Amino acid sequence: MKEIILINITGPDRPGLTAAMTGILAKSSVNILDIGQAVIHDTLSFGILIELPDDSQKSDILKDILFRCSELDQQVRFTPIHSDDYQLWVSGQGKSRHIVTILGRRITAEHIERVSTITARNGLNIDHIDRLSGRIPESQPIDQRKACIEFSVRGDPEDLDALRAEFLTIAQELNVDIAFQKDSVFRRTRRLVVFDMDSTLIEAEVIDELAKAAGVGDQVVEITERAMRGELDFQDSFRERVALLKGLPESTLAEIAERLRLTEGAEELIKQLRRLGYKTAILSGGFNYFAERLQHRLGIDYVFANALPVENGIVTGEVELPIVDGQRKADLLKELANKECISLEQTIAVGDGANDLPMLSIAGLGVAFRAKPLVKQSAKQAISTLGLDGILYLLGIRDRDSLN
């Protein structure tokens, strides 16, 4: 085999350095086997793996690189690569690749140490580490910050469920979110995002707000919480809650709709998704009256929710079928994917309650957002520390990529 050498260059970042190095190599018809570059705080780390032609003058090439690096105030190291080591490196390219994403208000050395220790213990090798979040001013309050680091790792963990459980445990312990995804073509070609509404796109559970206005708040809140934890059948609990709303004036609906607050990051997320060509939908166990207003405000493409029958200006307390429950949400996701001519792998589902689990489980990316413990443990991914726009990081979108 021809001689292989790894060249590592470090120093102040300067324009033209790559052109200067490859210009020297080009004169001797050198083959490039691998190349990579990173700049951290204006300091360059540049690596290039080269194969020297049989008839090349190795000493002249390396001397020219050494001299040029000295001119550019760079440090350089040359490492010969044995043919067996090169073949071992080549054989690794068939291994599976995954993306590990750490999200939080801040990321510390402990976060990275704990995550990298788990990946190593599970036989995963880190190929790249990238910062997806923007540069954080020192003066920015901690609760307004967003921090995200993405690891590209190679290998096949023996026990995927155990790996996810480890990540979930330390995420809760360290107050960060940790996502683990297969790095496939589908991660970069997703086209449809469906959202639960209550406590996902908006901060409130609308039915609880209606119940407070009707004077039955405590009763309905208790039923809602038990249903979201998965302790009650959703359809039965929904009928029971709606029946308690009987007699509520229709005018109250508009009053509540006016004061509903969007969840942190919801508006930014939908804006970026729309500009990137994604289709969006609300699949809600709540009510059409509120979902349709949210659709108009955010520019959502599809809405499926429950009717809230009103007669003579008064809520009847009755329920119209079909009820949008967990299974109905999953069925609607399949129907929308079929309508958009995409696979389920190209879909994203976001929700917080037990009735969201069916759609989270079949979507290509299922995200439990600020969810109950049962839902966080069961979903593929979870975000609790950031707003909804943290989902952009799971798609590999950097802050600097965001369209204004």
Side-chain angles (χ1 to χ4, degrees), residues 97-155:
R97 292 185 178 274
H98 298 84
I99 299 294
V100 182
T101 313
I102 308 177
L103 311 91
R105 297 298 178 182
R106 63 175 183 170
I107 292 176
T108 69
E110 183 180 8
H111 298 147
I112 303 227
E113 184 271 332
R114 297 285 292 277
V115 169
S116 57
T117 297
I118 289 173
T119 58
R121 190 165 59 242
N122 284 270
L124 299 172
N125 186 67
I126 299 173
D127 284 341
H128 304 286
I129 302 177
D130 294 303
R131 172 175 54 85
L132 302 188
S133 50
R135 299 173 183 177
I136 302 173
E138 288 184 327
S139 59
Q140 188 174 33
I142 190 68
D143 61 352
Q144 296 177 19
R145 295 185 180 186
K146 295 190 300 180
C148 178
I149 300 292
E150 178 184 276
F151 298 76
S152 175
V153 301
R154 175 169 33 90

Side-chain angles (χ1 to χ4, degrees), residues 47-322:
I48 183 167
L49 187 66
I50 65 171
E51 181 186 48
L52 296 169
D54 291 332
D55 60 353
S56 68
Q57 296 298 316
K58 168 185 167 184
S59 60
D60 291 340
I61 294 174
L62 302 188
K63 180 181 66 176
D64 289 346
I65 290 177
L66 184 62
F67 180 73
R68 193 74 178 100
C69 283
S70 178
E71 288 184 327
L72 295 171
D73 194 24
Q74 304 292 317
Q75 300 294 318
V76 62
R77 184 175 73 249
F78 303 106
T79 306
I81 303 298
H82 192 275
S83 60
D84 291 342
D85 294 330
Y86 177 75
Q87 292 301 334
L88 181 63
W89 175 74
V90 170
S91 67
Q93 67 184 336
K95 292 184 178 179
S96 300
R97 292 185 178 274
H98 298 84
I99 299 294
V100 182
T101 313
I102 308 177
L103 311 91
R105 297 298 178 182
R106 63 175 183 170
I107 292 176
T108 69
E110 183 180 8
H111 298 147
I112 303 227
E113 184 271 332
R114 297 285 292 277
V115 169
S116 57
T117 297
I118 289 173
T119 58
R121 190 165 59 242
N122 284 270
L124 299 172
N125 186 67
I126 299 173
D127 284 341
H128 304 286
I129 302 177
D130 294 303
R131 172 175 54 85
L132 302 188
S133 50
R135 299 173 183 177
I136 302 173
E138 288 184 327
S139 59
Q140 188 174 33
I142 190 68
D143 61 352
Q144 296 177 19
R145 295 185 180 186
K146 295 190 300 180
C148 178
I149 300 292
E150 178 184 276
F151 298 76
S152 175
V153 301
R154 175 169 33 90
D156 296 292
E158 290 186 6
D159 190 334
L160 186 57
D161 290 337
L163 174 65
R164 291 186 185 278
E166 278 194 274
F167 280 148
L168 181 61
T169 298
I170 68 166
Q172 293 172 336
E173 178 186 337
L174 300 177
N175 194 31
V176 292
D177 296 311
I178 304 172
F180 184 80
Q181 308 177 62
K182 187 174 181 60
D183 189 11
S184 69
V185 66
F186 292 113
R187 180 173 180 256
R188 299 179 292 278
T189 58
R190 294 196 168 110
R191 290 293 176 264
L192 170 67
V193 189
V194 302
F195 298 92
D196 174 45
M197 179 175 67
D198 298 63
S199 296
T200 300
L201 280 176
I202 57 175
E203 293 183 347
E205 290 286 336
V206 170
I207 197 166
D208 292 348
E209 299 302 310
L210 294 171
K212 291 174 187 176
V216 291
D218 292 342
Q219 294 168 260
V220 168
V221 166
E222 180 186 2
I223 298 169
T224 299
E225 289 179 349
R226 293 178 65 194
M228 292 300 98
R229 290 195 301 264
E231 297 173 5
L232 294 175
D233 174 76
F234 181 83
Q235 291 210 15
D236 291 341
S237 69
F238 183 73
R239 289 187 177 92
E240 187 177 348
R241 286 177 289 171
V242 172
L244 290 170
L245 301 179
K246 182 177 181 179
L248 185 69
E250 184 179 15
S251 59
T252 304
L253 307 187
E255 295 171 4
I256 290 174
E258 283 297 317
R259 64 174 185 258
L260 290 176
R261 295 177 54 185
L262 290 174
T263 299
E264 176 193 356
E267 200 161 12
E268 177 66 15
L269 173 61
I270 300 298
K271 180 178 73 172
Q272 299 301 334
L273 292 175
R274 290 181 64 195
R275 291 183 174 180
L276 291 169
Y278 286 76
K279 293 291 186 179
T280 55
I282 293 174
L283 308 183
S284 174
F287 301 111
N288 276 324
Y289 182 93
F290 302 94
E292 288 169 358
R293 280 155 178 75
L294 198 57
Q295 176 186 29
H296 178 73
R297 178 175 177 180
L298 296 176
I300 302 287
D301 295 292
Y302 303 102
V303 164
F304 296 90
N306 295 301
L308 184 61
V310 174
E311 290 183 6
N312 300 318
I314 299 296
V315 173
T316 66
E318 298 175 354
V319 170
E320 292 185 5
L321 300 179

